[in-house]
Amino acid sequence: MLYQWYEAQRALLSPFSEFASASSKLYSHPLSPFTHTPMAQRVSAGLDLVHRLSKEYEKPQFNITSVRVGTVDVAVQEQVALEKPFCRLLRFKRFTDDSPVLSRMKDQPTVLVVAPLSGHHSTLLRDTVKALLQDHKVFITDWTDARMVDQAAGPFHLDDYVDYVQEFIRHVGPECNVISVCQPTVPVLAAISLMASRGEPTPRTMTMMGGPIDARKSPTAVNNLAMNKSYDWFENNVIYRVPVNYPGAGRRVYPGFLQHSGFIAMNPDRHLKSHYDYFMDLMRGDDDNADFHRTFYDEYNAVLDMPAEYYLDTIKTVFQDFALVNGTWEVRGELVRPQDITTSALLTIEGELDDISGAGQTKAAHELCTGIPKARQFHYDVEGAGHYGIFSGRRWREKVYPEVRNFIASHQQAVKLARPAARKTAARKAA
């Protein structure tokens, strides 16, 4: 019933939120007589804050319409390359009439960004995509809010996630470079491992950023919750059915509002201070900082529901059984063997102040991928960066992105030459 109560509260607050927004404008618009009354700016700021705290946040758009390639601005069009019931594979197609730039773009590497399915929409990686588009052809997974998926589409398990990743890699092509951010580092490593075990071509490079490859190392509050509560506790306490006012009515999900509450609870003081600072910025007329606050929370407060099967599978496989690092994970009867990956290069990235994926959790991928030569394994610690800082913001643009760009560029030809040799070796073994 919790989901139904939440929806009732949301519906009840909606008119009050809109009233607060309209009233805020009444006390701030230059042509309104109320603007010139005592404490008008304070009243307007307070009402605006009430509106933002009580409004519903819809899925944001990427809104990437252009990007600078070299010294030229090129147009960007968002296209749906592949559509599945629970995910769309998006491509950001770049266009230009400048022949030298067009020729340059054709030779640039292709990147598949696997966005997390962990509560927020893939638009959280907007900054990641925008930076990558300067030097790469970019695809990204855009996961669908489970409450919008009809029950007729069936359940969605962690195994299905792995299948989706493999299908997307095959669609993009074996020359792609995969970047996984946070949660998908585990299923992405599993997907590529299974492809390697079958003898399929694997991506040229794998970049894994801030993910729980081995959640036993430096456990965070997120890890501790998953480890200290039983599987049955999660199934009985955080799984609910979608209300009747959504296309996915009746589907069992882990609601986005619960995940959002968990995010807020991790750093309540920080969020409280941020909202207070926003109020003060409105009071002072500091539009730049106020706009920055709105932009961040428009994204941060927009959450999606996760399929219950996928969420529970992740809790058990990643945070309780540690099946990947223990070598016991099977996907549809196939054992996940990261040691079978031999031709892909590996880069792991961790933030010094990451409070979601602790130090060493992502780096653990190197201990599993023993088939990759040490000369093609790299790790980068981002000083002063929290979880979001490794893929968004100034540290991402100035520190992390150059490392990722250079890593991908330096392994294009090397991996291309390594594959024929690997195939000859496999042929000899088969003979």
PDB file of all heavy atoms in Angstrom, residues 45 49-50 63 66 132 137 154 169 174 190 207 258 262 306 315 326 334 345 349 395 417 419 431:
ATOM      1  N   ALA A  45      10.994  33.825  -2.588  1.00  0.00           N
ATOM      2  CA  ALA A  45      12.003  32.772  -2.463  1.00  0.00           C
ATOM      3  C   ALA A  45      11.459  31.576  -1.695  1.00  0.00           C
ATOM      4  O   ALA A  45      11.681  30.413  -2.065  1.00  0.00           O
ATOM      5  CB  ALA A  45      13.250  33.322  -1.776  1.00  0.00           C
ATOM      6  N   LEU A  49      10.834  27.754  -3.169  1.00  0.00           N
ATOM      7  CA  LEU A  49      11.423  26.565  -2.541  1.00  0.00           C
ATOM      8  C   LEU A  49      10.350  25.529  -2.218  1.00  0.00           C
ATOM      9  O   LEU A  49      10.557  24.321  -2.433  1.00  0.00           O
ATOM     10  CB  LEU A  49      12.176  26.970  -1.272  1.00  0.00           C
ATOM     11  CG  LEU A  49      12.944  25.845  -0.549  1.00  0.00           C
ATOM     12  CD1 LEU A  49      13.968  25.204  -1.469  1.00  0.00           C
ATOM     13  CD2 LEU A  49      13.622  26.392   0.705  1.00  0.00           C
ATOM     14  N   VAL A  50       9.192  25.983  -1.718  1.00  0.00           N
ATOM     15  CA  VAL A  50       8.081  25.065  -1.453  1.00  0.00           C
ATOM     16  C   VAL A  50       7.659  24.348  -2.728  1.00  0.00           C
ATOM     17  O   VAL A  50       7.412  23.128  -2.739  1.00  0.00           O
ATOM     18  CB  VAL A  50       6.884  25.829  -0.845  1.00  0.00           C
ATOM     19  CG1 VAL A  50       5.635  24.949  -0.824  1.00  0.00           C
ATOM     20  CG2 VAL A  50       7.213  26.303   0.559  1.00  0.00           C
ATOM     21  N   ASN A  63      19.105  16.939 -24.394  1.00  0.00           N
ATOM     22  CA  ASN A  63      19.246  18.300 -24.929  1.00  0.00           C
ATOM     23  C   ASN A  63      20.667  18.594 -25.414  1.00  0.00           C
ATOM     24  O   ASN A  63      21.199  19.684 -25.199  1.00  0.00           O
ATOM     25  CB  ASN A  63      18.825  19.343 -23.888  1.00  0.00           C
ATOM     26  CG  ASN A  63      17.324  19.381 -23.683  1.00  0.00           C
ATOM     27  OD1 ASN A  63      16.568  19.119 -24.609  1.00  0.00           O
ATOM     28  ND2 ASN A  63      16.893  19.681 -22.477  1.00  0.00           N
ATOM     29  N   SER A  66      24.448  20.242 -30.119  1.00  0.00           N
ATOM     30  CA  SER A  66      25.687  20.531 -30.840  1.00  0.00           C
ATOM     31  C   SER A  66      26.867  20.231 -29.936  1.00  0.00           C
ATOM     32  O   SER A  66      26.733  20.172 -28.710  1.00  0.00           O
ATOM     33  CB  SER A  66      25.742  21.994 -31.296  1.00  0.00           C
ATOM     34  OG  SER A  66      25.805  22.864 -30.181  1.00  0.00           O
ATOM     35  N   LEU A 132      32.403  13.009 -24.425  1.00  0.00           N
ATOM     36  CA  LEU A 132      32.810  11.937 -25.327  1.00  0.00           C
ATOM     37  C   LEU A 132      32.564  12.285 -26.792  1.00  0.00           C
ATOM     38  O   LEU A 132      33.324  11.873 -27.676  1.00  0.00           O
ATOM     39  CB  LEU A 132      32.063  10.645 -24.976  1.00  0.00           C
ATOM     40  CG  LEU A 132      32.502   9.920 -23.697  1.00  0.00           C
ATOM     41  CD1 LEU A 132      31.477   8.860 -23.303  1.00  0.00           C
ATOM     42  CD2 LEU A 132      33.879   9.279 -23.887  1.00  0.00           C
ATOM     43  N   LYS A 137      32.267   8.500 -31.620  1.00  0.00           N
ATOM     44  CA  LYS A 137      30.883   8.203 -31.977  1.00  0.00           C
ATOM     45  C   LYS A 137      30.263   7.564 -30.737  1.00  0.00           C
ATOM     46  O   LYS A 137      30.824   6.616 -30.195  1.00  0.00           O
ATOM     47  CB  LYS A 137      30.825   7.238 -33.156  1.00  0.00           C
ATOM     48  CG  LYS A 137      31.629   7.701 -34.363  1.00  0.00           C
ATOM     49  CD  LYS A 137      31.816   6.565 -35.354  1.00  0.00           C
ATOM     50  CE  LYS A 137      32.801   6.950 -36.447  1.00  0.00           C
ATOM     51  NZ  LYS A 137      33.117   5.815 -37.355  1.00  0.00           N
ATOM     52  N   GLY A 154       6.556  -9.117 -19.643  1.00  0.00           N
ATOM     53  CA  GLY A 154       7.196 -10.130 -18.822  1.00  0.00           C
ATOM     54  C   GLY A 154       8.164  -9.548 -17.812  1.00  0.00           C
ATOM     55  O   GLY A 154       8.359  -8.326 -17.743  1.00  0.00           O
ATOM     56  N   ILE A 169      26.228  -4.607 -27.718  1.00  0.00           N
ATOM     57  CA  ILE A 169      27.621  -4.674 -28.188  1.00  0.00           C
ATOM     58  C   ILE A 169      27.664  -5.232 -29.606  1.00  0.00           C
ATOM     59  O   ILE A 169      28.377  -4.717 -30.476  1.00  0.00           O
ATOM     60  CB  ILE A 169      28.475  -5.538 -27.241  1.00  0.00           C
ATOM     61  CG1 ILE A 169      28.658  -4.829 -25.892  1.00  0.00           C
ATOM     62  CG2 ILE A 169      29.842  -5.832 -27.866  1.00  0.00           C
ATOM     63  CD1 ILE A 169      29.362  -5.667 -24.844  1.00  0.00           C
ATOM     64  N   PRO A 174      32.017  -5.072 -33.092  1.00  0.00           N
ATOM     65  CA  PRO A 174      33.157  -5.489 -32.260  1.00  0.00           C
ATOM     66  C   PRO A 174      34.238  -4.424 -32.110  1.00  0.00           C
ATOM     67  O   PRO A 174      35.120  -4.564 -31.262  1.00  0.00           O
ATOM     68  CB  PRO A 174      33.701  -6.712 -32.997  1.00  0.00           C
ATOM     69  CG  PRO A 174      33.274  -6.510 -34.423  1.00  0.00           C
ATOM     70  CD  PRO A 174      31.949  -5.835 -34.348  1.00  0.00           C
ATOM     71  N   ALA A 190      30.300  -9.316 -16.936  1.00  0.00           N
ATOM     72  CA  ALA A 190      29.729 -10.648 -17.175  1.00  0.00           C
ATOM     73  C   ALA A 190      29.406 -10.846 -18.654  1.00  0.00           C
ATOM     74  O   ALA A 190      29.704 -11.908 -19.235  1.00  0.00           O
ATOM     75  CB  ALA A 190      28.473 -10.830 -16.333  1.00  0.00           C
ATOM     76  N   THR A 207      36.129   0.301 -20.073  1.00  0.00           N
ATOM     77  CA  THR A 207      36.384   1.308 -19.040  1.00  0.00           C
ATOM     78  C   THR A 207      35.317   1.153 -17.968  1.00  0.00           C
ATOM     79  O   THR A 207      34.122   1.263 -18.262  1.00  0.00           O
ATOM     80  CB  THR A 207      36.350   2.729 -19.617  1.00  0.00           C
ATOM     81  OG1 THR A 207      37.335   2.855 -20.647  1.00  0.00           O
ATOM     82  CG2 THR A 207      36.628   3.764 -18.533  1.00  0.00           C
ATOM     83  N   LEU A 258      11.636   5.376  -3.201  1.00  0.00           N
ATOM     84  CA  LEU A 258      12.377   4.763  -2.102  1.00  0.00           C
ATOM     85  C   LEU A 258      13.877   4.913  -2.313  1.00  0.00           C
ATOM     86  O   LEU A 258      14.621   5.200  -1.368  1.00  0.00           O
ATOM     87  CB  LEU A 258      12.013   3.278  -1.977  1.00  0.00           C
ATOM     88  CG  LEU A 258      10.680   2.935  -1.314  1.00  0.00           C
ATOM     89  CD1 LEU A 258      10.509   1.422  -1.236  1.00  0.00           C
ATOM     90  CD2 LEU A 258      10.594   3.542   0.076  1.00  0.00           C
ATOM     91  N   GLY A 262      16.656   7.013  -0.099  1.00  0.00           N
ATOM     92  CA  GLY A 262      17.929   6.465   0.356  1.00  0.00           C
ATOM     93  C   GLY A 262      19.097   7.359  -0.009  1.00  0.00           C
ATOM     94  O   GLY A 262      20.021   7.547   0.795  1.00  0.00           O
ATOM     95  N   MET A 306      12.572   0.386 -10.653  1.00  0.00           N
ATOM     96  CA  MET A 306      13.335  -0.745 -11.174  1.00  0.00           C
ATOM     97  C   MET A 306      12.505  -2.026 -11.089  1.00  0.00           C
ATOM     98  O   MET A 306      11.792  -2.228 -10.097  1.00  0.00           O
ATOM     99  CB  MET A 306      14.632  -0.930 -10.390  1.00  0.00           C
ATOM    100  CG  MET A 306      15.667   0.136 -10.637  1.00  0.00           C
ATOM    101  SD  MET A 306      17.144  -0.116  -9.622  1.00  0.00           S
ATOM    102  CE  MET A 306      16.723   0.893  -8.192  1.00  0.00           C
ATOM    103  N   ILE A 315      20.851  -7.600  -5.644  1.00  0.00           N
ATOM    104  CA  ILE A 315      21.153  -7.685  -4.207  1.00  0.00           C
ATOM    105  C   ILE A 315      21.822  -9.016  -3.889  1.00  0.00           C
ATOM    106  O   ILE A 315      22.868  -9.062  -3.215  1.00  0.00           O
ATOM    107  CB  ILE A 315      19.858  -7.527  -3.376  1.00  0.00           C
ATOM    108  CG1 ILE A 315      19.321  -6.091  -3.471  1.00  0.00           C
ATOM    109  CG2 ILE A 315      20.107  -7.911  -1.912  1.00  0.00           C
ATOM    110  CD1 ILE A 315      20.173  -5.046  -2.808  1.00  0.00           C
ATOM    111  N   ASN A 326      33.615 -14.695  -6.653  1.00  0.00           N
ATOM    112  CA  ASN A 326      33.774 -16.058  -6.148  1.00  0.00           C
ATOM    113  C   ASN A 326      33.776 -17.093  -7.266  1.00  0.00           C
ATOM    114  O   ASN A 326      33.995 -18.291  -7.017  1.00  0.00           O
ATOM    115  CB  ASN A 326      32.659 -16.394  -5.145  1.00  0.00           C
ATOM    116  CG  ASN A 326      32.867 -15.716  -3.806  1.00  0.00           C
ATOM    117  OD1 ASN A 326      34.004 -15.458  -3.405  1.00  0.00           O
ATOM    118  ND2 ASN A 326      31.783 -15.418  -3.100  1.00  0.00           N
ATOM    119  N   GLU A 334      25.485 -20.670 -18.158  1.00  0.00           N
ATOM    120  CA  GLU A 334      26.875 -20.458 -18.554  1.00  0.00           C
ATOM    121  C   GLU A 334      27.638 -19.781 -17.416  1.00  0.00           C
ATOM    122  O   GLU A 334      27.184 -18.771 -16.885  1.00  0.00           O
ATOM    123  CB  GLU A 334      26.965 -19.576 -19.806  1.00  0.00           C
ATOM    124  CG  GLU A 334      26.398 -20.198 -21.065  1.00  0.00           C
ATOM    125  CD  GLU A 334      26.583 -19.277 -22.268  1.00  0.00           C
ATOM    126  OE1 GLU A 334      27.676 -19.286 -22.869  1.00  0.00           O
ATOM    127  OE2 GLU A 334      25.633 -18.530 -22.581  1.00  0.00           O
ATOM    128  N   ALA A 345      41.334  -4.284 -23.801  1.00  0.00           N
ATOM    129  CA  ALA A 345      42.124  -3.549 -22.810  1.00  0.00           C
ATOM    130  C   ALA A 345      41.197  -3.105 -21.679  1.00  0.00           C
ATOM    131  O   ALA A 345      39.995  -2.927 -21.889  1.00  0.00           O
ATOM    132  CB  ALA A 345      42.796  -2.345 -23.448  1.00  0.00           C
ATOM    133  N   ILE A 349      38.437   3.070 -12.971  1.00  0.00           N
ATOM    134  CA  ILE A 349      38.512   4.434 -12.430  1.00  0.00           C
ATOM    135  C   ILE A 349      37.746   4.483 -11.114  1.00  0.00           C
ATOM    136  O   ILE A 349      36.600   4.008 -11.028  1.00  0.00           O
ATOM    137  CB  ILE A 349      37.929   5.453 -13.426  1.00  0.00           C
ATOM    138  CG1 ILE A 349      38.736   5.459 -14.732  1.00  0.00           C
ATOM    139  CG2 ILE A 349      37.888   6.847 -12.817  1.00  0.00           C
ATOM    140  CD1 ILE A 349      38.129   6.303 -15.831  1.00  0.00           C
ATOM    141  N   ARG A 395      35.802  17.886 -12.552  1.00  0.00           N
ATOM    142  CA  ARG A 395      36.838  16.841 -12.443  1.00  0.00           C
ATOM    143  C   ARG A 395      36.725  15.836 -13.572  1.00  0.00           C
ATOM    144  O   ARG A 395      37.723  15.335 -14.082  1.00  0.00           O
ATOM    145  CB  ARG A 395      36.748  16.149 -11.082  1.00  0.00           C
ATOM    146  CG  ARG A 395      37.296  16.988  -9.937  1.00  0.00           C
ATOM    147  CD  ARG A 395      37.394  16.189  -8.649  1.00  0.00           C
ATOM    148  NE  ARG A 395      37.977  16.983  -7.588  1.00  0.00           N
ATOM    149  CZ  ARG A 395      37.294  17.782  -6.781  1.00  0.00           C
ATOM    150  NH1 ARG A 395      35.983  17.900  -6.935  1.00  0.00           N
ATOM    151  NH2 ARG A 395      37.902  18.475  -5.828  1.00  0.00           N
ATOM    152  N   LEU A 417      45.252  -5.463 -34.008  1.00  0.00           N
ATOM    153  CA  LEU A 417      46.294  -6.399 -34.423  1.00  0.00           C
ATOM    154  C   LEU A 417      46.301  -7.657 -33.567  1.00  0.00           C
ATOM    155  O   LEU A 417      46.695  -8.726 -34.027  1.00  0.00           O
ATOM    156  CB  LEU A 417      47.664  -5.707 -34.337  1.00  0.00           C
ATOM    157  CG  LEU A 417      47.887  -4.558 -35.316  1.00  0.00           C
ATOM    158  CD1 LEU A 417      49.209  -3.864 -35.015  1.00  0.00           C
ATOM    159  CD2 LEU A 417      47.866  -5.050 -36.765  1.00  0.00           C
ATOM    160  N   ARG A 419      43.718  -9.316 -32.329  1.00  0.00           N
ATOM    161  CA  ARG A 419      42.628 -10.251 -32.565  1.00  0.00           C
ATOM    162  C   ARG A 419      42.988 -11.360 -33.556  1.00  0.00           C
ATOM    163  O   ARG A 419      42.712 -12.527 -33.309  1.00  0.00           O
ATOM    164  CB  ARG A 419      41.380  -9.488 -33.041  1.00  0.00           C
ATOM    165  CG  ARG A 419      40.666  -8.782 -31.912  1.00  0.00           C
ATOM    166  CD  ARG A 419      39.186  -8.610 -32.222  1.00  0.00           C
ATOM    167  NE  ARG A 419      38.527  -8.052 -31.046  1.00  0.00           N
ATOM    168  CZ  ARG A 419      38.279  -6.766 -30.854  1.00  0.00           C
ATOM    169  NH1 ARG A 419      38.643  -5.895 -31.758  1.00  0.00           N
ATOM    170  NH2 ARG A 419      37.685  -6.349 -29.765  1.00  0.00           N
ATOM    171  N   ALA A 431      42.338 -27.468 -33.297  1.00  0.00           N
ATOM    172  CA  ALA A 431      42.862 -28.538 -34.157  1.00  0.00           C
ATOM    173  C   ALA A 431      43.524 -29.639 -33.310  1.00  0.00           C
ATOM    174  O   ALA A 431      43.510 -30.793 -33.661  1.00  0.00           O
ATOM    175  CB  ALA A 431      43.871 -27.963 -35.139  1.00  0.00           C
TER     176      ALA A 431
END
